[in-house]
Amino acid sequence: AQSVTQPDIHITVSEGASLELRCNYSYGATPYLFWYVQSPGQGLQLLLKYFSGDTLVQGIKGFEAEFKRSQSSFNLRKPSVHWSDAAEYFCAVVVFGNEKLTFGTGTRLTIIP
Amino acid sequence: EPEVTQTPSHQVTQMGQEVILRCVPISNHLYFYWYRQILGQKVEFLVSFYNNEISEKSEIFDDQFSVERPDGSNFTLKIRSTKLEDSAMYFCASSMDSTNQPQHFGDGTRLSIL
């Protein structure tokens, strides 16, 4: 069965600094990969997705992620964070022929002035 | 932009009672899902629904749970004989396709069992 690991439970970043959130997946074939963001009291908003093709994908709010097959990773990046980026970020995977999203445990992002 | 809507936003229920959580998926979507997030834990898949029947369910989704699409717009999750451990945030999601299109989530219903 597929699984997703987000090794960082909590990350603190200064406003304006760059950000990288880590995600590793476990699955034999290439999965479909997603990043979702959850602001306090809110639902899950899709930031970006990878299905195939270009391994660097652009998302909303200035986020991007890079799929690296050799490392089984799909890390999320942003060159300069804003205070409004403070939220919980979830990496998720779905595999072809299976309908359920499998989520990582999430990374809570705190932004300091 | 169309969105998934869920009602109520917060439901408080006595243990042993039945609850129905409601969702209105995006209108042209064909696949519907329920997920659960217990406080402090990760989001877990409960069930997927397509063509008026369950297409996949997790081990969590036992006989206590049921889903229904009573009309052309609503998608409901019923929990019978609620237990304390059913307290969680329940998310509804929908998608155009089972795999090739992303799932879009509602804001969730926070279920509190007393």
PDB file of all heavy atoms in Angstrom, chain B residues 61-77:
ATOM      1  N   PHE B  61     -14.670   2.399   7.858  1.00  0.00           N
ATOM      2  CA  PHE B  61     -16.049   2.521   7.392  1.00  0.00           C
ATOM      3  C   PHE B  61     -16.766   1.202   7.603  1.00  0.00           C
ATOM      4  O   PHE B  61     -16.908   0.385   6.673  1.00  0.00           O
ATOM      5  CB  PHE B  61     -16.050   2.941   5.924  1.00  0.00           C
ATOM      6  CG  PHE B  61     -17.387   3.424   5.422  1.00  0.00           C
ATOM      7  CD1 PHE B  61     -17.728   4.754   5.548  1.00  0.00           C
ATOM      8  CD2 PHE B  61     -18.283   2.549   4.828  1.00  0.00           C
ATOM      9  CE1 PHE B  61     -18.955   5.212   5.075  1.00  0.00           C
ATOM     10  CE2 PHE B  61     -19.517   2.994   4.361  1.00  0.00           C
ATOM     11  CZ  PHE B  61     -19.840   4.324   4.484  1.00  0.00           C
ATOM     12  N   ASP B  62     -17.217   0.982   8.828  1.00  0.00           N
ATOM     13  CA  ASP B  62     -17.911  -0.270   9.123  1.00  0.00           C
ATOM     14  C   ASP B  62     -19.423  -0.071   9.080  1.00  0.00           C
ATOM     15  O   ASP B  62     -19.904   0.934   8.549  1.00  0.00           O
ATOM     16  CB  ASP B  62     -17.456  -0.796  10.489  1.00  0.00           C
ATOM     17  CG  ASP B  62     -17.709   0.194  11.618  1.00  0.00           C
ATOM     18  OD1 ASP B  62     -18.571   1.097  11.438  1.00  0.00           O
ATOM     19  OD2 ASP B  62     -17.062   0.081  12.667  1.00  0.00           O
ATOM     20  N   ASP B  63     -20.168  -0.985   9.646  1.00  0.00           N
ATOM     21  CA  ASP B  63     -21.632  -0.939   9.552  1.00  0.00           C
ATOM     22  C   ASP B  63     -22.244   0.268  10.263  1.00  0.00           C
ATOM     23  O   ASP B  63     -23.427   0.554  10.089  1.00  0.00           O
ATOM     24  CB  ASP B  63     -22.234  -2.218  10.135  1.00  0.00           C
ATOM     25  CG  ASP B  63     -21.900  -3.425   9.285  1.00  0.00           C
ATOM     26  OD1 ASP B  63     -21.515  -3.213   8.107  1.00  0.00           O
ATOM     27  OD2 ASP B  63     -22.014  -4.557   9.780  1.00  0.00           O
ATOM     28  N   GLN B  64     -21.460   0.934  11.060  1.00  0.00           N
ATOM     29  CA  GLN B  64     -21.948   2.126  11.744  1.00  0.00           C
ATOM     30  C   GLN B  64     -22.154   3.286  10.764  1.00  0.00           C
ATOM     31  O   GLN B  64     -22.923   4.205  11.025  1.00  0.00           O
ATOM     32  CB  GLN B  64     -20.931   2.524  12.816  1.00  0.00           C
ATOM     33  CG  GLN B  64     -21.328   3.664  13.698  1.00  0.00           C
ATOM     34  CD  GLN B  64     -20.166   4.188  14.531  1.00  0.00           C
ATOM     35  OE1 GLN B  64     -19.034   3.741  14.396  1.00  0.00           O
ATOM     36  NE2 GLN B  64     -20.455   5.139  15.394  1.00  0.00           N
ATOM     37  N   PHE B  65     -21.455   3.230   9.647  1.00  0.00           N
ATOM     38  CA  PHE B  65     -21.469   4.320   8.686  1.00  0.00           C
ATOM     39  C   PHE B  65     -22.269   3.929   7.437  1.00  0.00           C
ATOM     40  O   PHE B  65     -22.306   2.767   7.036  1.00  0.00           O
ATOM     41  CB  PHE B  65     -20.036   4.652   8.245  1.00  0.00           C
ATOM     42  CG  PHE B  65     -19.148   5.178   9.328  1.00  0.00           C
ATOM     43  CD1 PHE B  65     -18.425   4.300  10.126  1.00  0.00           C
ATOM     44  CD2 PHE B  65     -19.014   6.540   9.544  1.00  0.00           C
ATOM     45  CE1 PHE B  65     -17.589   4.779  11.136  1.00  0.00           C
ATOM     46  CE2 PHE B  65     -18.183   7.031  10.534  1.00  0.00           C
ATOM     47  CZ  PHE B  65     -17.468   6.143  11.332  1.00  0.00           C
ATOM     48  N   SER B  66     -22.860   4.945   6.827  1.00  0.00           N
ATOM     49  CA  SER B  66     -23.477   4.744   5.525  1.00  0.00           C
ATOM     50  C   SER B  66     -23.449   6.064   4.758  1.00  0.00           C
ATOM     51  O   SER B  66     -23.356   7.136   5.361  1.00  0.00           O
ATOM     52  CB  SER B  66     -24.919   4.234   5.651  1.00  0.00           C
ATOM     53  OG  SER B  66     -25.722   5.171   6.321  1.00  0.00           O
ATOM     54  N   VAL B  67     -23.486   5.959   3.438  1.00  0.00           N
ATOM     55  CA  VAL B  67     -23.511   7.146   2.590  1.00  0.00           C
ATOM     56  C   VAL B  67     -24.675   7.026   1.626  1.00  0.00           C
ATOM     57  O   VAL B  67     -25.126   5.927   1.295  1.00  0.00           O
ATOM     58  CB  VAL B  67     -22.200   7.350   1.813  1.00  0.00           C
ATOM     59  CG1 VAL B  67     -21.061   7.753   2.728  1.00  0.00           C
ATOM     60  CG2 VAL B  67     -21.846   6.105   1.015  1.00  0.00           C
ATOM     61  N   GLU B  68     -25.100   8.203   1.193  1.00  0.00           N
ATOM     62  CA  GLU B  68     -26.247   8.239   0.302  1.00  0.00           C
ATOM     63  C   GLU B  68     -26.183   9.498  -0.544  1.00  0.00           C
ATOM     64  O   GLU B  68     -25.673  10.528  -0.107  1.00  0.00           O
ATOM     65  CB  GLU B  68     -27.536   8.242   1.140  1.00  0.00           C
ATOM     66  CG  GLU B  68     -28.793   8.041   0.359  1.00  0.00           C
ATOM     67  CD  GLU B  68     -30.021   8.026   1.245  1.00  0.00           C
ATOM     68  OE1 GLU B  68     -30.005   8.655   2.307  1.00  0.00           O
ATOM     69  OE2 GLU B  68     -31.017   7.398   0.862  1.00  0.00           O
ATOM     70  N   ARG B  69     -26.701   9.360  -1.751  1.00  0.00           N
ATOM     71  CA  ARG B  69     -26.882  10.533  -2.605  1.00  0.00           C
ATOM     72  C   ARG B  69     -28.387  10.609  -2.877  1.00  0.00           C
ATOM     73  O   ARG B  69     -28.885  10.070  -3.861  1.00  0.00           O
ATOM     74  CB  ARG B  69     -26.092  10.387  -3.886  1.00  0.00           C
ATOM     75  CG  ARG B  69     -26.046  11.633  -4.739  1.00  0.00           C
ATOM     76  CD  ARG B  69     -24.834  11.612  -5.641  1.00  0.00           C
ATOM     77  NE  ARG B  69     -24.918  12.555  -6.740  1.00  0.00           N
ATOM     78  CZ  ARG B  69     -24.657  13.855  -6.641  1.00  0.00           C
ATOM     79  NH1 ARG B  69     -24.337  14.378  -5.483  1.00  0.00           N
ATOM     80  NH2 ARG B  69     -24.723  14.638  -7.695  1.00  0.00           N
ATOM     81  N   PRO B  70     -29.093  11.269  -1.968  1.00  0.00           N
ATOM     82  CA  PRO B  70     -30.563  11.202  -2.008  1.00  0.00           C
ATOM     83  C   PRO B  70     -31.191  11.926  -3.190  1.00  0.00           C
ATOM     84  O   PRO B  70     -32.318  11.620  -3.576  1.00  0.00           O
ATOM     85  CB  PRO B  70     -30.973  11.844  -0.678  1.00  0.00           C
ATOM     86  CG  PRO B  70     -29.830  12.739  -0.317  1.00  0.00           C
ATOM     87  CD  PRO B  70     -28.600  12.052  -0.831  1.00  0.00           C
ATOM     88  N   ASP B  71     -30.450  12.867  -3.752  1.00  0.00           N
ATOM     89  CA  ASP B  71     -30.970  13.593  -4.905  1.00  0.00           C
ATOM     90  C   ASP B  71     -29.785  13.934  -5.802  1.00  0.00           C
ATOM     91  O   ASP B  71     -28.692  13.410  -5.613  1.00  0.00           O
ATOM     92  CB  ASP B  71     -31.749  14.831  -4.459  1.00  0.00           C
ATOM     93  CG  ASP B  71     -30.931  15.692  -3.516  1.00  0.00           C
ATOM     94  OD1 ASP B  71     -29.716  15.883  -3.776  1.00  0.00           O
ATOM     95  OD2 ASP B  71     -31.468  16.150  -2.504  1.00  0.00           O
ATOM     96  N   GLY B  72     -30.002  14.818  -6.754  1.00  0.00           N
ATOM     97  CA  GLY B  72     -28.935  15.099  -7.698  1.00  0.00           C
ATOM     98  C   GLY B  72     -27.838  16.000  -7.189  1.00  0.00           C
ATOM     99  O   GLY B  72     -26.851  16.217  -7.882  1.00  0.00           O
ATOM    100  N   SER B  73     -27.988  16.520  -5.959  1.00  0.00           N
ATOM    101  CA  SER B  73     -26.994  17.488  -5.509  1.00  0.00           C
ATOM    102  C   SER B  73     -26.369  17.147  -4.159  1.00  0.00           C
ATOM    103  O   SER B  73     -25.230  17.507  -3.906  1.00  0.00           O
ATOM    104  CB  SER B  73     -27.613  18.882  -5.434  1.00  0.00           C
ATOM    105  OG  SER B  73     -28.700  18.899  -4.531  1.00  0.00           O
ATOM    106  N   ASN B  74     -27.068  16.455  -3.293  1.00  0.00           N
ATOM    107  CA  ASN B  74     -26.543  16.204  -1.950  1.00  0.00           C
ATOM    108  C   ASN B  74     -25.851  14.855  -1.842  1.00  0.00           C
ATOM    109  O   ASN B  74     -26.191  13.895  -2.542  1.00  0.00           O
ATOM    110  CB  ASN B  74     -27.686  16.264  -0.927  1.00  0.00           C
ATOM    111  CG  ASN B  74     -28.202  17.671  -0.742  1.00  0.00           C
ATOM    112  OD1 ASN B  74     -27.586  18.487  -0.078  1.00  0.00           O
ATOM    113  ND2 ASN B  74     -29.350  17.950  -1.351  1.00  0.00           N
ATOM    114  N   PHE B  75     -24.897  14.808  -0.932  1.00  0.00           N
ATOM    115  CA  PHE B  75     -24.171  13.573  -0.624  1.00  0.00           C
ATOM    116  C   PHE B  75     -24.037  13.541   0.897  1.00  0.00           C
ATOM    117  O   PHE B  75     -23.492  14.473   1.497  1.00  0.00           O
ATOM    118  CB  PHE B  75     -22.803  13.598  -1.315  1.00  0.00           C
ATOM    119  CG  PHE B  75     -21.938  12.396  -1.058  1.00  0.00           C
ATOM    120  CD1 PHE B  75     -22.418  11.116  -1.268  1.00  0.00           C
ATOM    121  CD2 PHE B  75     -20.619  12.550  -0.655  1.00  0.00           C
ATOM    122  CE1 PHE B  75     -21.620  10.008  -1.049  1.00  0.00           C
ATOM    123  CE2 PHE B  75     -19.809  11.442  -0.441  1.00  0.00           C
ATOM    124  CZ  PHE B  75     -20.305  10.172  -0.631  1.00  0.00           C
ATOM    125  N   THR B  76     -24.563  12.502   1.527  1.00  0.00           N
ATOM    126  CA  THR B  76     -24.621  12.495   2.986  1.00  0.00           C
ATOM    127  C   THR B  76     -23.828  11.346   3.585  1.00  0.00           C
ATOM    128  O   THR B  76     -23.673  10.282   2.969  1.00  0.00           O
ATOM    129  CB  THR B  76     -26.075  12.399   3.482  1.00  0.00           C
ATOM    130  OG1 THR B  76     -26.637  11.165   3.032  1.00  0.00           O
ATOM    131  CG2 THR B  76     -26.913  13.551   2.967  1.00  0.00           C
ATOM    132  N   LEU B  77     -23.347  11.589   4.795  1.00  0.00           N
ATOM    133  CA  LEU B  77     -22.700  10.559   5.607  1.00  0.00           C
ATOM    134  C   LEU B  77     -23.523  10.411   6.872  1.00  0.00           C
ATOM    135  O   LEU B  77     -23.721  11.377   7.603  1.00  0.00           O
ATOM    136  CB  LEU B  77     -21.265  10.957   5.959  1.00  0.00           C
ATOM    137  CG  LEU B  77     -20.527  10.039   6.931  1.00  0.00           C
ATOM    138  CD1 LEU B  77     -20.241   8.686   6.270  1.00  0.00           C
ATOM    139  CD2 LEU B  77     -19.217  10.679   7.401  1.00  0.00           C
TER     140      LEU B  77
END
